[in-house]
Amino acid sequence: MQSRKGIIQTLTSSGWRKEEAHSVANLAADISTGVAKIPEQLLATEPRMTFKVQRPPSAGSEASC
Amino acid sequence: VAVKDNCDLAGHPTTGACGAFRNAVAERDATCISRLKDAGAIVLGKTNMHELAYGGTGALSDFGPARNPWNREHIAGGSSSGSGAAVAAGCVPAALGSDTGGSIRIPAAACGVTGLKPTFGRVSKAGVMPLGWSLDHVGPITRTACDAAILLKVLASGDARDPTTVASPFTDTAKPMDPGILRVAEVAGFPLDPAVARALDAAAVTLADLGYKIEPIRLEASDHAHVAWQAIMFAEAASAYAGDLAAAFDGFTPDVRVQLEAGQHISARTYLDAQRFRVAYGDIFNQKIAGAQAILMPSLPVPAPRLGQDHVDLPGKRVTTQDAMTFTNLTANMLGWPAISVPCGFSDAGLPVGLSVLGRPFDEATVLAVAKAYQAHTDWVRAPSV
C-alpha cells in the first residue's frame, strides 16, 4: 500500500487540492490501521468472497406461525 | 409510493443526488420498482437522499439537504432522507430506501416512522445504484410494521438480474407470534443520549408487559466492525465509481470524492481481512441470538442532530454525526440479517427516537411480529404538523 506521503504527492501532482489529498490519505490510513488491529482470532479462515446469506435450518418461523 | 433517487425509474434520471448523474436517464425500471408497479402501486415521485447514499445525514445532496418534518432545522437522517421525510410528512404511505450502513433505519428513526432492512438477498438490488455491493440492501419505509410487511411481500423475490437474491417468497405471520426471549444490546463503548436511553428502557418494559422475556447482552468488537465495514464499503464504492470520478471529478462534492478516492487506497489485504472478520462477526452474533427471538438495539444514540452539526456529544464521548448515525446500524449490514426500526418515543425537544429489532437471516416474520406487537400497544407513530 502506498504511504500517506505517497498518496498526497500522487494526488496533488494530478490536480487534487492539497487539503482533499490529505483527507484521502488520512482516511485510507485510518481504515487500514484499524483493520490491521483486528485480532487474528476474529478473522475467519476464509473471507466471504461472494456474499450470500445462508438460510439456516431454524429459520422456518414464517410457515410455523 | 415514492422511490429513492438511486432506483431506476424508466424515463427519469437516476441521480443518486449527485451532480455527476443529473442526466443519467434510466431505460428500464429497477426490479424493486417493477414489482411494486405489478402489484398496483403508483409511483408518485423520487425522493431526495444523501449523495450516492454515501452518508447517514441526508444533509449532502445535489438538491439541497433534506429536512426533518418534526423540526426543519434538524436532519432527516440518511441516506434515504427524502423517503423517511415523505412518509413522516404524510406525502406517501410508503417509500423505497436503500441501506448500506443503516440508510433505511436511520431516516426512519429520525423521522418517527418504520424502516425495514430485509435480509441480504431477500430483495433485488438490480437497477439500484450501488455503494457497497456486499452491504447494500433495498427495503421499505412505511408508517407501521404492518405496512412494511405488505411491501416486503411484494418486493421479496429471486431475480436473475441480481445473482445475490434468493428465490424464497416472504410469508407474513397470519396471527401474533408467541412472545419469547428478546436480548437488549448494550453497545460497548457507545453511550446513549439520556432521552434515547429512557425511551429504550420504556420500550423494554412495554415488551416485557406483553410477555417477552428481556435479557441484557453486551456487544463487543463493535469498533472492529465499524472499521471493517468502512474498509468494505470504501473499497467497493471506489471500484463502482472509479470511472465516473475520473470522467466527472467536479460532479462529486469534495466529501464524496474524498471517500471514493480513499477507497482506491485500501489494499486487497485490508479488504480481505475485513471480509474475514465479517464471517467471524456472524459467528459472534449467532451466539448472541441463540435461544432468543431477536436482539433489540438503539436505532440511533441521539435524536436527529441539527443540520450542519458535525459532531454529537454523548455522555462522556464526542463522536462525528456520521458515526453516530451508523455505529449501531452497520451491524445488520455486516451480518446481512434483517432489522427494523420502529418509533419508541420522543425527546424533550419533540424529536422521534427509534428502537431497532435485529433478527435471524430470512426470519423477517419474527422481526415484524415483535414490531407489530409493540406498535399495537403503543402510539408512537404520530404525524408532525407540517
Side-chain angles (χ1 to χ4, degrees):
Chain A
M1 186 191 148
Q2 213 176 1
S3 68
R4 195 185 299 235
K5 192 176 172 185
I7 292 172
I8 293 167
Q9 282 176 345
T10 302
L11 292 180
T12 50
S13 67
S14 58
W16 281 71
R17 287 191 297 145
K18 198 172 176 183
E19 184 183 295
E20 287 185 27
H22 274 273
S23 297
V24 169
N26 289 339
L27 254 179
D30 288 350
I31 292 170
S32 301
T33 304
V35 172
K37 285 181 182 169
I38 298 175
E40 184 68 27
Q41 66 268 25
L42 289 179
L43 299 179
T45 52
E46 288 183 19
R48 195 175 286 172
M49 290 296 293
T50 303
F51 188 77
K52 195 158 191 168
V53 171
Q54 300 300 315
R55 188 187 183 95
S58 59
S61 55
E62 293 173 5
S64 63
C65 50
Chain B
V1 300
V3 297
K4 186 175 181 177
D5 197 22
N6 60 353
C7 302
D8 283 348
L9 181 64
H12 298 269
T14 307
T15 74
C18 176
F21 300 103
R22 280 178 196 158
N23 301 313
V25 176
E27 292 182 0
R28 63 186 290 194
D29 287 339
T31 298
C32 52
I33 291 181
S34 61
R35 288 191 67 84
L36 286 173
K37 284 182 173 177
D38 289 347
I42 298 167
V43 179
L44 291 180
K46 303 191 85 175
T47 53
N48 202 356
M49 57 182 283
H50 199 102
E51 182 178 344
L52 287 192
Y54 219 154
T57 66
L60 193 63
S61 163
D62 198 37
F63 305 105
R67 293 174 183 272
N68 193 311
W70 289 94
N71 185 329
R72 288 169 50 83
E73 298 306 312
H74 289 250
I75 63 170
S79 63
S80 310
S81 45
S83 293
V87 173
C91 302
V92 284
L96 284 181
S98 66
D99 190 319
T100 307
S103 287
I104 288 172
R105 294 157 287 151
I106 295 164
C111 295
V113 292
T114 301
L116 172 65
K117 183 200 82 65
T119 307
F120 189 87
R122 181 68 103 172
V123 176
S124 172
K125 303 181 294 297
V128 179
M129 294 174 81
L131 180 61
W133 289 294
S134 71
L135 296 163
D136 293 342
H137 301 67
V138 173
I141 295 178
T142 54
R143 288 181 64 74
T144 66
C146 289
D147 288 349
I150 293 169
L151 267 285
L152 182 61
K153 196 170 178 180
V154 171
L155 292 168
S157 73
D159 181 11
R161 293 174 66 196
D162 179 354
T164 65
T165 53
V166 174
S168 173
F170 165 70
T171 308
D172 196 17
T173 53
K175 57 183 180 182
M177 200 177 282
D178 289 339
I181 296 170
L182 299 175
R183 303 241 160 86
V184 181
E186 177 203 348
V187 183
F190 213 79
L192 301 178
D193 178 276
V196 173
R198 278 196 303 273
L200 292 174
D201 287 346
V205 169
T206 299
L207 287 162
D209 288 345
L210 294 173
Y212 289 95
K213 186 178 179 193
I214 306 296
E215 296 179 349
I217 54 168
R218 188 172 166 84
L219 299 183
E220 283 92 11
S222 298
D223 284 337
H224 298 319
H226 181 245
V227 75
W229 167 76
Q230 283 184 309
I232 294 166
M233 178 175 64
F234 274 59
E236 293 180 354
S239 173
Y241 293 104
D244 300 301
L245 184 61
F249 186 84
D250 291 326
F252 298 83
T253 58
D255 187 72
V256 168
R257 67 183 177 225
V258 161
Q259 293 183 88
L260 290 174
E261 183 62 28
Q264 301 285 351
H265 302 278
I266 302 294
S267 70
R269 164 75 189 274
T270 297
Y271 176 78
L272 289 170
D273 280 355
Q275 290 285 16
R276 288 174 66 194
F277 168 76
R278 193 173 182 182
V279 179
Y281 199 50
D283 293 340
I284 292 172
F285 268 79
N286 274 319
Q287 292 170 9
K288 295 288 184 189
I289 202 172
Q293 288 183 328
I295 294 173
L296 306 181
M297 304 172 79
S299 299
L300 298 173
V302 288
R306 286 185 172 275
L307 271 167
Q309 187 178 332
D310 292 332
H311 290 78
V312 298
D313 289 309
L314 304 172
K317 186 169 188 171
R318 170 170 263 222
V319 298
T320 66
T321 302
Q322 166 67 11
D323 285 352
M325 296 296 102
T326 56
F327 198 85
T328 56
N329 288 302
L330 62 90
T331 292
N333 300 77
M334 289 290 280
L335 301 172
W337 294 9
I340 193 168
S341 177
V342 295
C344 68
F346 288 85
S347 69
D348 292 342
L351 290 163
V353 176
L355 165 73
S356 278
V357 184
L358 173 73
R360 290 184 175 80
F362 296 99
D363 193 12
E364 286 90 348
T366 297
V367 166
L368 284 160
V370 174
K372 283 190 273 190
Y374 179 71
Q375 289 187 331
H377 291 83
T378 56
D379 66 346
W380 298 120
V381 182
R382 298 176 184 174
S385 74
V386 288

